[in-house]
Amino acid sequence: MRIAVAGATGNIGALTTAALERDGHDVVRISRSLGVDLVTGEGLDAALAGVDAVVDTINGQGGSPEETVAYFAATTRNLLDAEARAGVRHHVLLSIVGLRRVVGNAHYAGKREQERLVESGPVPWTIVPATQFHDFAAMVSSWTEQDGVATIAPLLVQPISPADVAEVLAEVAVGDPKGRYADVAGPEPQDLVDMARRTHQARGREVKLVPAWSTMFGPEMAGNALLPGEGARIAPTTFEEWLAQQR
């Protein structure tokens, strides 16, 4: 099949591209750095010529909820409209587990708009909700780290390997549209603060972690809000196995 990956130069996009190419598919990489701009639509029609399916793994650019929603709305509309013109038969969207349970987070607001547009759009679709990635804790603590101290929200998550997410996306892309796919998660729940501590240790870093809620990660994310629902697809790679690769 000829499959386009939007956000192909990002972490998940690159891994999905590699998984698809390993299985013999012709992959079209969509990224601003490669001359295709989802915000303006420049280069999209040419990129999607002859494409059977599209996997959307793009990430947000940060900012206020209004800015994030506007970004995801523009990119998703442009992508779906170009897919419809090209006769694309399947749009696969990577989304987030618990998206509708969290109100205050700007990124989640943008992803909800993205899902809404896909669900009401002109192209048959599959939405794949995944939990946070194994490197999420260290990334979050890096946003606030200063002088060896970082605040981090005490979230309960069930993290998944980015490579496992890519395998699921590659599998889904070559199949028929399924609508809303099962939640996809790692094997076991973890505490985000402990994940950050262990990741830093594995990488030979000492960072003092201060558990605290923030405007980005508020109390509405506490408890089971970010955990997968019943019937979830459980990926094989544990956090410990991923952590061993960081040493």
Side-chain angles (χ1 to χ4, degrees):
M1 293 176 61
R2 185 171 173 84
I3 301 172
V5 176
T9 57
N11 184 24
I12 301 299
L15 290 167
T16 303
T17 296
L20 288 166
E21 289 182 334
R22 177 202 64 207
D23 293 340
H25 300 287
D26 179 19
V27 180
V28 177
R29 293 166 172 80
I30 293 178
S31 171
R32 184 181 299 172
S33 64
L34 300 175
V36 184
D37 192 331
L38 289 176
V39 175
T40 65
E42 181 181 358
L44 261 178
D45 286 330
L48 294 181
V51 164
D52 301 297
V54 172
V55 182
D56 186 353
T57 68
I58 67 168
N59 208 344
Q61 296 181 325
S64 68
E66 294 77 16
E67 291 169 330
T68 307
V69 168
Y71 170 77
F72 277 115
T75 56
T76 304
R77 284 195 183 99
N78 285 336
L79 188 55
L80 291 172
D81 288 347
E83 289 175 24
R85 290 192 296 270
V88 172
R89 300 192 300 270
H90 190 186
H91 180 94
V92 180
L93 173 64
L94 173 61
S95 194
I96 308 171
V97 165
L99 198 63
R100 289 172 171 79
R101 297 193 290 266
V102 176
V103 177
N105 185 284
H107 184 66
Y108 278 48
K111 293 294 289 185
R112 281 194 295 273
E113 176 65 6
Q114 191 182 35
E115 284 196 357
R116 185 187 72 80
L117 290 169
V118 169
E119 290 172 349
S120 62
V123 182
W125 52 274
T126 304
I127 293 175
V128 181
T131 54
Q132 286 68 34
F133 306 140
H134 284 154
D135 57 357
F136 180 70
M139 179 179 68
V140 169
S141 68
S142 72
W143 296 342
T144 63
E145 184 181 342
Q146 193 168 20
D147 298 326
V149 179
T151 58
I152 183 169
L155 303 177
L156 180 63
V157 297
Q158 193 160 327
I160 186 169
S161 160
D164 287 346
V165 173
E167 291 292 338
V168 173
L169 292 174
E171 174 191 316
V172 169
V174 302
D176 295 328
K178 298 182 182 301
R180 182 161 290 276
Y181 197 78
D183 289 349
V184 180
E188 56 191 5
Q190 300 281 346
D191 172 78
L192 196 70
V193 180
D194 184 58
M195 284 176 63
R197 177 186 59 78
R198 293 163 67 192
T199 303
H200 289 315
Q201 286 181 346
R203 294 174 176 174
R205 301 192 67 238
E206 288 295 331
V207 180
K208 181 180 179 181
L209 299 171
V210 180
W213 298 112
S214 66
T215 54
M216 183 175 295
F217 302 108
E220 72 274 9
M221 288 182 159
N224 295 339
L226 302 183
L227 297 185
E230 291 186 11
R233 177 171 176 174
I234 303 302
T237 307
T238 66
F239 178 64
E240 286 73 18
E241 289 169 335
W242 175 84
L243 203 61
Q245 300 170 2
Q246 307 303 303
R247 295 186 172 90

